[in-house]
PDB file of all heavy atoms in Angstrom:
ATOM      1  N   TYR J 123     -13.286   9.160  -7.037  1.00 81.00           N
ATOM      2  CA  TYR J 123     -11.853   9.375  -7.209  1.00 81.00           C
ATOM      3  C   TYR J 123     -11.121   8.044  -7.424  1.00 81.00           C
ATOM      4  O   TYR J 123     -11.454   7.068  -6.747  1.00 81.00           O
ATOM      5  CB  TYR J 123     -11.331  10.064  -5.946  1.00 81.00           C
ATOM      6  CG  TYR J 123      -9.859  10.387  -5.924  1.00 81.00           C
ATOM      7  CD1 TYR J 123      -9.413  11.625  -6.356  1.00 81.00           C
ATOM      8  CD2 TYR J 123      -8.929   9.469  -5.453  1.00 81.00           C
ATOM      9  CE1 TYR J 123      -8.066  11.932  -6.312  1.00 81.00           C
ATOM     10  CE2 TYR J 123      -7.584   9.776  -5.422  1.00 81.00           C
ATOM     11  CZ  TYR J 123      -7.149  11.008  -5.848  1.00 81.00           C
ATOM     12  OH  TYR J 123      -5.824  11.302  -5.811  1.00 81.00           O
ATOM     13  N   PRO J 124     -10.150   7.950  -8.359  1.00 81.00           N
ATOM     14  CA  PRO J 124      -9.584   9.064  -9.131  1.00 81.00           C
ATOM     15  C   PRO J 124     -10.295   9.332 -10.451  1.00 81.00           C
ATOM     16  O   PRO J 124      -9.769  10.063 -11.291  1.00 81.00           O
ATOM     17  CB  PRO J 124      -8.159   8.568  -9.390  1.00 81.00           C
ATOM     18  CG  PRO J 124      -8.330   7.094  -9.568  1.00 81.00           C
ATOM     19  CD  PRO J 124      -9.396   6.695  -8.574  1.00 81.00           C
ATOM     20  N   LEU J 125     -11.465   8.758 -10.663  1.00 87.00           N
ATOM     21  CA  LEU J 125     -12.199   9.011 -11.898  1.00 87.00           C
ATOM     22  C   LEU J 125     -12.886  10.373 -11.849  1.00 87.00           C
ATOM     23  O   LEU J 125     -13.257  10.854 -10.786  1.00 87.00           O
ATOM     24  CB  LEU J 125     -13.229   7.911 -12.139  1.00 87.00           C
ATOM     25  CG  LEU J 125     -12.679   6.491 -12.228  1.00 87.00           C
ATOM     26  CD1 LEU J 125     -13.803   5.494 -12.429  1.00 87.00           C
ATOM     27  CD2 LEU J 125     -11.658   6.372 -13.351  1.00 87.00           C
ATOM     28  N   ARG J 126     -13.073  10.940 -13.006  1.00 87.00           N
ATOM     29  CA  ARG J 126     -13.659  12.272 -13.109  1.00 87.00           C
ATOM     30  C   ARG J 126     -15.165  12.185 -13.348  1.00 87.00           C
ATOM     31  O   ARG J 126     -15.657  11.307 -14.047  1.00 87.00           O
ATOM     32  CB  ARG J 126     -13.003  13.003 -14.276  1.00 87.00           C
ATOM     33  CG  ARG J 126     -13.503  14.423 -14.481  1.00 87.00           C
ATOM     34  CD  ARG J 126     -12.858  15.042 -15.702  1.00 87.00           C
ATOM     35  NE  ARG J 126     -13.280  16.428 -15.856  1.00 87.00           N
ATOM     36  CZ  ARG J 126     -12.950  17.206 -16.878  1.00 87.00           C
ATOM     37  NH1 ARG J 126     -12.201  16.718 -17.849  1.00 87.00           N
ATOM     38  NH2 ARG J 126     -13.367  18.444 -16.938  1.00 87.00           N
ATOM     39  N   GLY J 127     -15.910  13.132 -12.767  1.00 89.00           N
ATOM     40  CA  GLY J 127     -17.345  13.195 -12.993  1.00 89.00           C
ATOM     41  C   GLY J 127     -18.112  12.176 -12.175  1.00 89.00           C
ATOM     42  O   GLY J 127     -17.562  11.462 -11.330  1.00 89.00           O
ATOM     43  N   GLY J 128     -19.418  12.113 -12.420  1.00 90.00           N
ATOM     44  CA  GLY J 128     -20.260  11.197 -11.666  1.00 90.00           C
ATOM     45  C   GLY J 128     -21.526  10.871 -12.427  1.00 90.00           C
ATOM     46  O   GLY J 128     -21.644  11.117 -13.631  1.00 90.00           O
ATOM     47  N   LYS J 129     -22.481  10.299 -11.729  1.00 89.00           N
ATOM     48  CA  LYS J 129     -23.768   9.937 -12.316  1.00 89.00           C
ATOM     49  C   LYS J 129     -24.372  11.132 -13.053  1.00 89.00           C
ATOM     50  O   LYS J 129     -24.187  12.266 -12.652  1.00 89.00           O
ATOM     51  CB  LYS J 129     -24.702   9.457 -11.207  1.00 89.00           C
ATOM     52  CG  LYS J 129     -26.040   8.906 -11.697  1.00 89.00           C
ATOM     53  CD  LYS J 129     -26.866   8.400 -10.523  1.00 89.00           C
ATOM     54  CE  LYS J 129     -28.203   7.826 -10.998  1.00 89.00           C
ATOM     55  NZ  LYS J 129     -29.017   7.318  -9.865  1.00 89.00           N
ATOM     56  N   TYR J 130     -25.092  10.856 -14.108  1.00 89.00           N
ATOM     57  CA  TYR J 130     -25.704  11.850 -14.994  1.00 89.00           C
ATOM     58  C   TYR J 130     -24.696  12.469 -15.950  1.00 89.00           C
ATOM     59  O   TYR J 130     -25.034  13.403 -16.681  1.00 89.00           O
ATOM     60  CB  TYR J 130     -26.404  12.984 -14.215  1.00 89.00           C
ATOM     61  CG  TYR J 130     -27.295  12.525 -13.103  1.00 89.00           C
ATOM     62  CD1 TYR J 130     -26.994  12.817 -11.779  1.00 89.00           C
ATOM     63  CD2 TYR J 130     -28.450  11.791 -13.376  1.00 89.00           C
ATOM     64  CE1 TYR J 130     -27.812  12.396 -10.751  1.00 89.00           C
ATOM     65  CE2 TYR J 130     -29.282  11.369 -12.349  1.00 89.00           C
ATOM     66  CZ  TYR J 130     -28.952  11.673 -11.040  1.00 89.00           C
ATOM     67  OH  TYR J 130     -29.764  11.255 -10.025  1.00 89.00           O
ATOM     68  N   SER J 131     -23.452  11.979 -15.972  1.00 92.00           N
ATOM     69  CA  SER J 131     -22.458  12.494 -16.905  1.00 92.00           C
ATOM     70  C   SER J 131     -21.891  11.348 -17.733  1.00 92.00           C
ATOM     71  O   SER J 131     -22.099  10.172 -17.430  1.00 92.00           O
ATOM     72  CB  SER J 131     -21.318  13.193 -16.151  1.00 92.00           C
ATOM     73  OG  SER J 131     -20.379  12.242 -15.643  1.00 92.00           O
ATOM     74  N   TYR J 132     -21.158  11.711 -18.810  1.00 94.00           N
ATOM     75  CA  TYR J 132     -20.515  10.717 -19.664  1.00 94.00           C
ATOM     76  C   TYR J 132     -19.052  10.501 -19.286  1.00 94.00           C
ATOM     77  O   TYR J 132     -18.340   9.765 -19.959  1.00 94.00           O
ATOM     78  CB  TYR J 132     -20.591  11.159 -21.134  1.00 94.00           C
ATOM     79  CG  TYR J 132     -21.992  11.266 -21.689  1.00 94.00           C
ATOM     80  CD1 TYR J 132     -22.258  12.068 -22.790  1.00 94.00           C
ATOM     81  CD2 TYR J 132     -23.062  10.568 -21.110  1.00 94.00           C
ATOM     82  CE1 TYR J 132     -23.542  12.175 -23.309  1.00 94.00           C
ATOM     83  CE2 TYR J 132     -24.341  10.668 -21.616  1.00 94.00           C
ATOM     84  CZ  TYR J 132     -24.575  11.481 -22.720  1.00 94.00           C
ATOM     85  OH  TYR J 132     -25.852  11.575 -23.233  1.00 94.00           O
ATOM     86  N   TRP J 133     -18.593  11.164 -18.224  1.00 93.00           N
ATOM     87  CA  TRP J 133     -17.214  10.959 -17.762  1.00 93.00           C
ATOM     88  C   TRP J 133     -17.085   9.577 -17.129  1.00 93.00           C
ATOM     89  O   TRP J 133     -18.070   8.938 -16.746  1.00 93.00           O
ATOM     90  CB  TRP J 133     -16.831  12.047 -16.752  1.00 93.00           C
ATOM     91  CG  TRP J 133     -16.909  13.446 -17.285  1.00 93.00           C
ATOM     92  CD1 TRP J 133     -17.854  14.386 -16.991  1.00 93.00           C
ATOM     93  CD2 TRP J 133     -16.020  14.063 -18.213  1.00 93.00           C
ATOM     94  NE1 TRP J 133     -17.610  15.544 -17.678  1.00 93.00           N
ATOM     95  CE2 TRP J 133     -16.482  15.377 -18.432  1.00 93.00           C
ATOM     96  CE3 TRP J 133     -14.867  13.642 -18.882  1.00 93.00           C
ATOM     97  CZ2 TRP J 133     -15.840  16.271 -19.292  1.00 93.00           C
ATOM     98  CZ3 TRP J 133     -14.225  14.530 -19.736  1.00 93.00           C
ATOM     99  CH2 TRP J 133     -14.704  15.822 -19.939  1.00 93.00           C
ATOM    100  N   GLU J 134     -15.842   9.132 -16.969  1.00 92.00           N
ATOM    101  CA  GLU J 134     -15.605   7.781 -16.448  1.00 92.00           C
ATOM    102  C   GLU J 134     -16.194   7.585 -15.057  1.00 92.00           C
ATOM    103  O   GLU J 134     -16.617   6.493 -14.704  1.00 92.00           O
ATOM    104  CB  GLU J 134     -14.100   7.473 -16.435  1.00 92.00           C
ATOM    105  CG  GLU J 134     -13.496   7.281 -17.817  1.00 92.00           C
ATOM    106  CD  GLU J 134     -14.028   6.046 -18.516  1.00 92.00           C
ATOM    107  OE1 GLU J 134     -13.494   4.942 -18.265  1.00 92.00           O
ATOM    108  OE2 GLU J 134     -14.977   6.181 -19.315  1.00 92.00           O
TER     109      GLU J 134
END
Side-chain angles (χ1 to χ4, degrees):
Y123 180 93
L125 302 178
R126 181 183 183 184
K129 186 177 181 180
Y130 313 114
S131 81
Y132 297 157
W133 300 107
E134 289 294 276

